[in-house]
Amino acid sequence: MTHALTQSIWVDGVAKKYGDVSVVDDVSFDVRPGEFVSLLGPSGCGKTTTLRMIAGFVMPSGGRVLVNGADVTYAPPDKRNVGFVFQNYALWPHMTVLENITFGLKLRGRTSTAIRSKADEVLGITGLTGFEGRLPRQLSGGQQQRVALARALALDPALLLMDEPLSNLDRALRITMRRELKQLQSRLNMTTLYVTHDQEEALSMSDRVVIMSGGKIARIAKPREIYEDPRSEFVADFVGNTNFFDGRVVEVADDRAVVQCGASLKFAVTREDSISVGQQVRVLLRPERIRVKNRPEARENELSACIEMIEYFGPTIRYTAKLQSGENLYIETHNTSQDHVIDDQIWIEIEPKHFRLLHRNKA
Amino acid sequence: MRIDFGTWMLRLFTYVAMAFLFFPIAITLLVSINPNEFILPPTGVTMEWFRAAWTSSKFVDAMVVSLVLGIVATLSANALALLAVLALVRYNFPGKAFVNLLIMSPILIPATIFSLALYVFLARIGLGGSITSLVIGHTIHVLPFAVRILAASLQNFDTSLEEAARNVGASGTRTLFSITLPVIKTGLISSLTLCFVLSWNDFPISVFLAPPGWTPLPVELYSYIKYQYDAVGAALASSLIILSAIAIIILDRATGIRRAIRGEAPGVKS
Amino acid sequence: MRAGVVAFLAPSLVLLTIFVLIPLGWVIRISFNENVGGAYMRSAWVLDNYIQFLGSTWYLVNTLWYTVYIAFFATVLSALLAYPVALYIARSTGFQKSILMTLVLSPLLIGLVTLVYGWIVIFRGGGILNSLLIGLGVYDEPAQYMWNIKGVVILLVYIGMPYMTMSLLDSIERINPFLAEAARNVGANRWTTFWKITFPLTMPGLYAGLVIVFTLNFAAFAVPLMVGPDETRMIGLLIYKEALINNNLPFASSISVIMIAASSVTIIGLGYLFNKMILNKLEAKK
C-alpha cells in the first residue's frame, strides 16, 4: 500500500448558529497525520454538525476549517477530497456495489483500467471481493458498512470522516467491525475523524478523544487521560460511572490531604498541587477502584457498608452499597467466586491515589 | 371458527358496492365486442365496432390531439413540479403556506370555476380558441397531482444519498440526474402516468377550452354519444377504459394507486 | 440557498399567478360588467348580474336551493355507501385489499365521459337495467332513469364514492388498533366497540369526505350536462350554459361568485353542525 498520507485537519474557532440557536460554539481542535481522533458526546452536542462542516454539508457561521493547510471553510462539498462514511451508509440503492464504489472515480475521468484496479484494491481491503454485482439491499448491515467504507477509500481521500458508522449494527457485529476498522486505519495510516456517542468505541479506537457538550469542547485528551483524570464533572459522568462526594479539605500534609465529606465521612487522598485547607472540593471515585473485603484490616480509607442492590453483568458485578455515614456508593468488581447477597455487611478500602478532586465554587 | 355475522354482512355489502362501481365499465366492455350491440348476453365476439371507431378519421384526429396534449401537459407539469417540490420539501421560508395553497389551488377550485376563469381570461388576452389555451389548462390542472406525488417521494428521500454524491465529487446538477431522479424513479413514473391519464380523460376543462379543430377525445366521444347510440361509442369508450387500465397497472406497480392519487402535501421533513 | 428557492419556485408561481389567480380576479371583475348581448359586454361596475340571480325566486329556489339539496342528498348517499366499504377494506389485507383499493379508486382514473357512457347503456329506456327490472317483475313498463334527475344523483354518488372511501379509509386506518382491543378487554362486544370507539374516531374522516364530495357535487356541470334532462337546474350547469351557449360572461361570472359563496357557507354550516354535535363531544370525552 502506498497511502503515505501526511495531511491533517485544523478546525479553528468554528461556530454554527441556526437563527438564535447556537449548535456549535467556538470549536477548535486538530487531527494530526495518521491520527485517529474521536468526537464524543451525547446527542445534540454538536459533534455531527462539526463533522458535517468539515465535509462541507453545513456552512459554518464563523471560524475556519483547514484541510492539509488549505482553507476549505466555504468550499463546496464536491471540491474537498475528504472521505465521508455516513451513519446510515447512504449507499445509492439503484447502483451495484461496484457502481457505488467507482462513481466518484468515473466523475474524475479516470481510465477504466485505473478504475477497475482501484476498485479491486478497495474491495480486497474491505473484504468485499465477489460482491461487486450486488445491490445494497441484497447485503447485510455489516457488508453495507464495508461498501460505505470502500466507497470513501476508493478516492484516496486526504482524510476520512465517519459519522457514527457502527451505530446501526447489533452489538456483537459492532465490536467485530470496530476492531477491523481500527486495524485497517492503522495499516493504511489513514487520518480519521470519527463521531460517536459510544464511549467504548471512542476509548478503544482513538489516539485522542474530543469530548463535546452543548456545542462546546469539554476536553481533548488521550483515552486513558480522559478516563483516569476527567477534570470536569461532565466528562467524569459521561465517560464511565463515577461516585461523587462533596467535601472540604481539612488537612494538607506532604503527600496526603484529607477531605471531610459529611459529618462522619473522611477520605485521605493523594495531594494535588493546588490543594489548600478550607477549599470546597468534589471528590470523584471510579467504582472499580474500590476494593471489597469481608473484614477490616485497619488500613487507610477503610469503611463498612451494607449492600442494597446487586446488578449482575457477567464478567463484572455492580453493587450499590450504603455507607454507615448514609451515602450511597457504586462498587464494581470482577466476577470472582466471592458472592455477596443483599443486606450483606462488607468492608471496602480505597487507595488514596484513586481519588480525583475537582474544585468547587462555594455557590 | 365461528361465522361472524357482522363481517359477513360487511363483505356482502362491499361486494355489492364493487359490483355497482364495476357495472358500467363491464357493460361498456361487453357491448363493444357484442355483435348484437345492446342486446345481452352477447352471442359472439366481434371487432367490428372497434374497427369502425379506430378507422373514423374524426376519432383518430381526436386521439392524436389528446395524445399530444397529454404528453406536452404531463412533461411541462412534471418539470415545473419537480423544481417546485425541491424547494418546498427542503427549505422553509416565509409565505410557504401561501405558496402551497397556490400550487394546490387548481384542485381546490371546482373545475367549473377554474375552467370558466381560464376561458374568460384567455379570451380576454387573445389566447382563446388556440391550442395553447388547452395546453395551459391541462398543465395547470395536473400540476398539483405531480406536486403531491413528487413531494411524497422526496419527503421519503434520504438526503444523505445526495451528500454522499457531493462528497465523492459530483456537482449539484450531476447529483440530481445521477442520484436523486433515479432513486425517486417510481414516484416519477407514477406522476407521469397519473398526469397523462388525467389529461387524457379530462372533460370539464377541455369542453370549455377546446378550440375548433382541436377536439380532445373525451369531448369528441361526448358529442358522438349525444346524438348516436350505437356500439361504436362503446368501442371508443372501451379503448379509453383499456388505456386507463394500463395506467392503473403502471401506477399500482410503481407506487401503489392509492399513494399515487393521494400523494402528500409538500411540507418539510421533520 | 434563498436564491435557489426563488429560482425553483418562480416558474410554477408565475404560471399559477397568470393563469389561476388573475383569471379568478378577472371573473370577479367581469361579474360587475354589463352584458350587451351577442357575446359582448361593456366594462362597468353594476350589480345587474347579481340582482338578476339573487332577485329571482326562480333562481334562488329552483336553482341554488335545488342544487344544495341534490348535492347534499348525493353526498350523504355516497357516505352511506362508502362507510361499510371503507371499513371492510381497512380490515382486509394483502391481495384482496389491493384489488378492492384499485376497484374503488378506478373511477377517478377512468374518464367521466367513459363512465357516463356505461350508465347510459344501463339506464336508457330500453337499457339493460330496465330489461332486468322488468324481467324480475319490479316494473311493468320501462322506468326512466336517463335524462332525469335520478340519473344525475346516481352518477354523482358513483363519482363521489372514491373520494369518500379514501377519506374514510385514511381515518379508519389512523385509529390505533389497541383502542378497540382495549375496549374488548374491558368487556365491550364488537357492536358496542364499533359505535363507542371506532365510529366516533372516524368522524374527522367522514367530515373531510363530506366536504370534498359536497364541493364536487355542488359545482358539477359535466354530469347534469350529460345525463340530466335538458332543463336541469343545477348551478354548475347554469354557469356552463350562460358562458358557452348564451355567451353571457358577466352573468356566468356572477353566478360563479355566488356559487363559491354558497358552497363556502354550506361547508361552514356543516362544519359548525359537526363541531357542535360530534367533534365537541369527542373533545370533551378526552
Side-chain angles (χ1 to χ4, degrees):
Chain A
M1 292 299 308
T2 54
H3 286 283
L5 292 165
T6 55
Q7 293 155 311
S8 61
I9 310 172
W10 182 22
V11 174
D12 181 18
V14 152
K16 181 64 193 176
K17 280 186 172 180
Y18 291 102
D20 289 338
V21 185
S22 192
V23 182
V24 173
D25 184 13
D26 192 22
V27 163
S28 301
F29 63 91
D30 66 347
V31 183
R32 292 161 207 152
E35 197 180 25
F36 190 117
V37 173
S38 287
L39 280 174
L40 174 68
S43 60
C45 72
K47 57 190 191 297
T48 294
T49 306
T50 304
L51 193 76
R52 291 167 60 80
M53 286 194 281
I54 299 168
F57 303 141
V58 174
M59 286 297 147
S61 314
R64 291 188 308 156
V65 176
L66 287 90
V67 171
N68 191 25
D71 189 333
V72 296
T73 314
Y74 301 107
D78 45 329
K79 303 277 184 270
R80 295 198 178 203
N81 195 30
V82 294
F84 200 102
V85 177
F86 291 82
Q87 180 172 15
N88 59 1
Y89 319 133
L91 300 180
W92 302 306
H94 59 302
M95 295 185 186
T96 62
V97 168
L98 188 67
E99 285 165 341
N100 263 281
I101 292 172
T102 56
F103 182 67
L105 293 168
K106 286 175 189 157
L107 289 170
R108 281 161 177 71
R110 301 278 164 78
T111 64
S112 57
T113 339
I115 291 174
R116 185 67 226 192
S117 79
K118 190 75 212 174
D120 285 342
E121 181 189 325
V122 291
L123 284 166
I125 291 173
T126 51
L128 282 169
T129 310
F131 291 94
E132 294 91 329
R134 300 264 189 109
L135 286 170
R137 64 170 172 274
Q138 298 167 318
L139 300 175
S140 70
Q143 289 165 337
Q144 291 183 21
Q145 214 282 322
R146 287 164 206 259
V147 178
L149 183 63
R151 182 173 70 184
L153 292 177
L155 296 169
D156 294 321
L159 50 101
L160 195 56
L161 306 177
M162 296 199 210
D163 184 10
E164 310 215 16
L166 305 180
S167 63
N168 284 342
L169 303 175
D170 61 49
R171 187 177 157 78
L173 189 55
R174 197 160 66 226
I175 291 167
T176 315
M177 288 301 292
R178 180 164 96 194
R179 293 161 57 101
E180 277 187 26
L181 209 56
K182 178 60 193 169
Q183 282 174 342
L184 189 63
Q185 183 269 337
S186 306
R187 188 152 62 88
L188 302 178
N189 198 31
M190 172 66 81
T191 311
T192 302
L193 183 60
Y194 186 99
V195 161
T196 181
H197 67 270
D198 180 332
Q199 45 168 300
E200 252 184 48
E201 242 170 69
L203 296 180
S204 65
M205 297 170 84
S206 314
D207 297 315
R208 283 188 302 150
V209 178
V210 177
I211 295 187
M212 288 184 70
S213 161
K216 292 188 163 72
I217 289 181
R219 182 83 195 275
I220 305 177
K222 294 191 168 94
R224 176 170 288 274
E225 290 168 1
I226 292 219
Y227 187 80
E228 303 293 341
D229 186 14
R231 291 199 194 161
S232 78
E233 196 180 327
F234 171 80
V235 175
D237 205 26
F238 184 70
V239 182
N241 296 304
T242 309
N243 293 296
F244 293 102
F245 302 94
D246 285 342
R248 198 167 60 86
V249 180
V250 290
E251 200 185 314
V252 177
D254 291 348
D255 62 341
R256 284 281 190 278
V258 176
V259 182
Q260 182 85 41
C261 306
S264 58
L265 184 63
K266 264 189 201 175
F267 292 118
V269 306
T270 302
R271 184 188 164 178
E272 290 174 20
D273 288 344
S274 58
I275 292 277
S276 57
V277 172
Q279 213 165 23
Q280 300 287 332
V281 292
R282 179 158 287 175
V283 179
L284 310 179
L285 176 62
R286 294 288 187 191
E288 71 278 10
R289 298 296 188 193
I290 301 168
R291 212 183 120 209
V292 178
K293 49 196 187 180
N294 293 325
R295 62 192 66 79
E297 294 163 0
R299 304 278 292 267
E300 219 172 12
N301 291 335
E302 202 172 61
L303 300 161
S304 94
C306 173
I307 293 178
E308 297 211 315
M309 185 176 168
I310 300 172
E311 289 162 274
Y312 180 83
F313 296 132
T316 60
I317 298 173
R318 178 157 72 193
Y319 301 107
T320 307
K322 195 175 214 86
L323 296 175
Q324 256 174 352
S325 51
E327 283 86 355
N328 276 326
L329 191 68
Y330 291 124
I331 305 166
E332 262 176 42
T333 65
H334 290 289
N335 186 1
T336 56
S337 54
Q338 190 182 37
D339 263 348
H340 290 288
V341 293
I342 287 183
D343 288 340
D344 262 7
Q345 205 61 43
I346 53 166
W347 286 86
I348 60 168
E349 183 198 330
I350 307 144
E351 283 184 55
K353 65 177 183 191
H354 292 323
F355 290 101
R356 294 288 172 273
L357 299 186
L358 297 176
H359 294 275
R360 189 157 61 93
N361 293 331
K362 291 236 164 93
Chain B
M1 208 179 95
R2 197 169 61 91
I3 293 167
D4 180 347
F5 182 70
T7 307
W8 197 83
M9 286 300 288
L10 211 52
R11 175 182 299 166
L12 185 69
F13 187 95
T14 303
Y15 288 172
V16 170
M18 291 299 146
F20 169 67
L21 286 177
F22 200 61
F23 196 34
I25 298 167
I27 292 292
T28 307
L29 293 171
L30 219 52
V31 168
S32 70
I33 52 162
N34 184 11
N36 304 323
E37 300 196 66
F38 300 102
I39 301 161
L40 294 175
T43 50
V45 172
T46 178
M47 283 291 121
E48 194 185 326
W49 318 125
F50 273 98
R51 202 172 301 121
W54 284 83
T55 50
S56 149
S57 67
K58 202 165 58 168
F59 289 156
V60 172
D61 287 352
M63 220 172 279
V64 171
V65 171
S66 279
L67 200 65
V68 171
L69 181 61
I71 291 172
V72 174
T74 299
L75 293 181
S76 8
N78 276 279
L80 290 168
L82 184 63
L83 287 177
V85 165
L86 282 172
L88 285 171
V89 170
R90 299 200 174 161
Y91 301 109
N92 262 328
F93 47 87
K96 186 166 165 178
F98 174 76
V99 169
N100 260 332
L101 197 66
L102 181 59
I103 287 187
M104 286 299 138
S105 63
I107 47 170
L108 300 176
I109 302 165
T112 319
I113 308 250
F114 172 67
S115 313
L116 174 76
L118 260 178
Y119 172 72
V120 294
F121 179 73
L122 292 171
R124 162 81 184 151
I125 62 170
L127 277 174
S130 73
I131 182 73
T132 319
S133 61
L134 260 185
V135 170
I136 292 171
H138 277 229
T139 303
I140 292 177
H141 171 60
V142 300
L143 180 65
F145 291 95
V147 166
R148 287 204 301 193
I149 301 179
L150 295 178
S153 297
L154 273 177
Q155 247 146 28
N156 295 329
F157 180 86
D158 175 6
T159 47
S160 67
L161 295 178
E162 286 181 357
E163 288 172 352
R166 298 303 303 276
N167 179 251
V168 300
S171 67
T173 320
R174 180 67 196 248
T175 303
L176 179 68
F177 285 100
S178 291
I179 307 295
T180 316
L181 293 186
V183 172
I184 62 163
K185 191 174 69 188
T186 56
L188 211 54
I189 291 172
S190 232
S191 172
L192 292 169
T193 311
L194 183 69
C195 288
F196 180 78
V197 83
L198 289 174
S199 162
W200 172 265
N201 283 323
D202 170 77
F203 177 76
I205 295 163
S206 300
V207 83
F208 265 95
L209 299 179
W214 291 94
T215 313
L217 198 51
V219 180
E220 196 64 62
L221 176 62
Y222 165 67
S223 357
Y224 185 78
I225 61 178
K226 204 157 91 178
Y227 303 110
Q228 306 276 325
Y229 185 59
D230 61 25
V232 178
L236 197 60
S238 295
S239 311
L240 289 166
I241 291 173
I242 291 164
L243 192 125
S244 301
I246 294 170
I248 288 170
I249 292 168
I250 296 174
L251 288 174
D252 191 53
R253 285 286 143 82
T255 55
I257 181 167
R258 184 176 172 194
R259 239 190 93 192
I261 287 174
R262 187 180 41 191
E264 212 161 302
V268 161
K269 199 154 50 168
S270 50
Chain C
M1 169 181 120
R2 192 50 51 83
V5 171
V6 173
F8 279 18
L9 283 172
S12 300
L13 295 189
V14 168
L15 189 79
L16 291 167
T17 305
I18 296 179
F19 295 110
V20 177
L21 283 189
I22 295 178
L24 286 177
W26 184 242
V27 163
I28 295 172
R29 173 64 192 90
I30 66 169
S31 71
F32 296 101
N33 277 355
E34 263 178 80
N35 185 45
V36 188
Y40 290 103
M41 57 186 174
R42 185 181 302 130
S43 184
W45 284 102
V46 293
L47 290 172
D48 293 9
N49 307 302
Y50 288 95
I51 293 165
Q52 192 184 345
F53 190 96
L54 297 171
S56 149
T57 322
W58 167 258
Y59 280 132
L60 284 181
V61 176
N62 289 334
T63 300
L64 188 58
W65 178 245
Y66 182 72
T67 310
V68 172
Y69 169 72
I70 293 295
F72 193 72
F73 185 60
T75 306
V76 170
L77 282 183
S78 318
L80 290 177
L81 192 59
Y83 201 103
V85 172
L87 213 54
Y88 186 72
I89 294 179
R91 286 185 191 178
S92 56
T93 50
F95 181 69
Q96 189 193 24
K97 181 166 189 166
S98 94
I99 207 87
L100 288 174
M101 248 358 277
T102 306
L103 274 178
V104 165
L105 296 179
S106 55
L108 289 179
L109 297 173
I110 294 174
L112 191 60
V113 192
T114 318
L115 295 171
V116 165
Y117 183 86
W119 284 106
I120 290 176
V121 175
I122 295 164
F123 280 153
R124 277 178 73 100
I128 283 150
L129 185 64
N130 271 308
S131 322
L132 197 71
L133 290 176
I134 292 169
L136 290 172
V138 179
Y139 293 123
D140 293 333
E141 53 188 74
Q144 187 58 268
Y145 287 95
M146 204 56 213
W147 296 293
N148 171 317
I149 198 69
K150 279 183 228 160
V152 174
V153 170
I154 291 177
L155 258 163
L156 290 179
V157 170
Y158 185 83
I159 289 161
M161 199 40 203
Y163 294 99
M164 190 65 88
T165 312
M166 196 144 71
S167 177
L168 285 168
L169 191 57
D170 284 348
S171 75
I172 294 171
E173 287 181 339
R174 214 174 292 133
I175 300 173
N176 180 346
F178 297 125
L179 295 180
E181 286 177 8
R184 300 300 300 277
N185 178 253
V186 298
N189 62 26
R190 293 179 74 114
W191 191 244
T192 314
T193 303
F194 174 76
W195 283 112
K196 296 289 178 190
I197 310 293
T198 311
F199 185 70
L201 289 172
T202 56
M203 283 303 111
L206 180 61
Y207 175 63
L210 289 176
V211 168
I212 294 167
V213 175
F214 178 80
T215 313
L216 289 172
N217 289 349
F218 189 70
F221 82 91
V223 168
L225 175 71
M226 286 189 272
V227 297
D230 274 348
E231 73 290 356
T232 306
R233 301 166 326 240
M234 290 189 72
I235 195 165
L237 187 59
L238 184 65
I239 294 172
Y240 169 83
K241 284 181 173 167
E242 289 300 334
L244 292 187
I245 296 169
N246 298 342
N247 276 315
N248 189 343
L249 296 183
F251 192 42
S253 299
S254 69
I255 303 171
S256 302
V257 174
I258 292 166
M259 183 174 104
I260 294 267
S263 160
S264 311
V265 166
T266 314
I267 288 166
I268 291 167
L270 192 65
Y272 179 77
L273 276 179
F274 244 79
N275 237 334
K276 196 156 187 182
M277 290 169 58
I278 302 157
L279 298 177
N280 258 354
K281 282 188 193 159
L282 274 182
E283 295 289 320
K285 275 179 192 165
K286 269 180 195 166

